[in-house]
Amino acid sequence: MKKIFLFSVLSVFGIGSAFAATTPWWLQPTVCRINPTNCYKNMTAGYFIEIGNSESWDKTSNCWGLKLICPDALTAGGNDAVPMERATIAKGTGIKPDFDINELGATGDCFGARKTAEGGAIASVNGKYVNVWCAGILNNPDEILENGEISYGTQPTCSELAASGYAAVENGRCYGKYYDISKYFIECGSALLPTRIVVLNGADYNAPMGNAPTTMAAAEAIFDSMYSTSQTQKAKYFEE
């Protein structure tokens, strides 16, 4: 009877050893595990985590895993993404307010996308939203975004845009609608938007005006003359 009992114990021990040998240590029931409550739920692209590497330990959250913040989103700049703890991110320490660190950046491997609104047609620059111009409008864009290009400094004026046939009108998810200068004349005032867009119908808007009237009275006199001529011709060729 004792022999049978010892055999049974050894058999169970053998099975347990085989299970331990084939099961990763972090899944074995005898290993203490980190409480994942304070961890990020899905740590894929944009996170720094290396089990056993103390540099990837978030001390304030007591959990593995740090967010990688893109260099463009950092006030210090640089060439490489920087791993940050949650507490530091929550304070905004070292992070530019123009960037959303909940969104992956352009490279897709770190967090820090420039904040946009209106479906991406405007973007945050130095705390203010500026137009995202459609590709090719800006001569020297400072940054290229998903929907177009932005300038960090002085924005284009209505006249500057009109010279190339553009008006500051939303065109999809960027600004800058093109008007063929042979068919349209973009008239600018002091605002960014044109005061009016004139359909030329084949006329040369910039051609010399010749004997064109310069006052309302002169214009009315011309129309009165045209009307009188029309009435005379009508009476001459058409019987009532």
Side-chain angles (χ1 to χ4, degrees):
M1 188 68 178
K2 289 182 179 179
K3 292 181 179 179
I4 296 173
F5 175 75
L6 289 173
F7 179 79
S8 299
V9 171
L10 290 172
S11 298
V12 173
F13 180 77
I15 294 172
S17 298
F19 176 80
T22 58
T23 305
W25 65 266
W26 58 87
L27 294 179
Q28 294 180 27
T30 57
V31 176
C32 295
R33 301 182 187 180
I34 299 171
N35 185 342
T37 304
N38 296 324
C39 301
Y40 293 106
K41 293 182 179 180
N42 298 308
M43 286 184 287
T44 52
Y47 293 94
F48 174 61
I49 177 170
E50 292 181 5
I51 300 299
N53 185 346
S54 61
E55 295 298 321
S56 66
W57 179 261
D58 190 331
K59 302 177 184 64
T60 55
S61 295
N62 194 32
C63 191
W64 291 111
L66 302 173
K67 261 188 175 181
L68 289 168
I69 307 302
C70 299
D72 288 345
L74 299 172
T75 55
N79 298 317
D80 301 316
V82 175
M84 284 191 175
E85 295 186 357
R86 282 188 175 188
T88 304
I89 293 173
K91 293 177 182 178
T93 305
I95 299 173
K96 296 177 182 177
D98 292 323
F99 289 80
D100 184 353
I101 44 73
N102 291 314
E103 296 289 335
L104 288 171
T107 58
D109 56 3
C110 56
F111 286 90
R114 187 174 290 279
K115 293 178 181 177
T116 60
E118 294 183 7
I122 57 175
S124 179
V125 175
N126 298 324
K128 297 181 180 180
Y129 278 93
V130 300
N131 288 345
V132 174
W133 300 100
C134 299
I137 292 179
L138 298 178
N139 292 327
N140 296 296
D142 291 310
E143 186 177 336
I144 299 175
L145 302 180
E146 181 180 359
N147 296 335
E149 305 165 343
I150 59 173
S151 173
Y152 298 156
T154 304
Q155 300 298 307
T157 65
C158 177
S159 298
E160 289 171 343
L161 293 169
S164 300
Y166 287 97
V169 179
E170 191 169 355
N171 182 17
R173 293 186 177 182
C174 57
Y175 279 84
K177 188 173 182 180
Y178 179 72
Y179 291 88
D180 188 338
I181 58 176
S182 67
K183 299 177 181 178
Y184 300 92
F185 177 79
I186 302 173
E187 186 175 279
C188 294
S190 57
L192 178 59
L193 284 173
T195 53
R196 60 179 175 173
I197 297 176
V198 181
V199 181
L200 298 179
N201 288 329
D204 183 357
Y205 192 85
N206 294 312
M209 299 299 288
N211 295 323
T214 57
T215 64
M216 181 62 71
E220 289 178 349
I222 291 175
F223 280 110
D224 287 342
S225 175
M226 292 170 62
Y227 180 76
S228 177
T229 301
S230 176
Q231 291 295 94
T232 302
Q233 294 296 99
K234 180 181 178 182
K236 180 178 180 180
Y237 296 103
F238 298 93
E239 296 182 0
E240 295 185 1

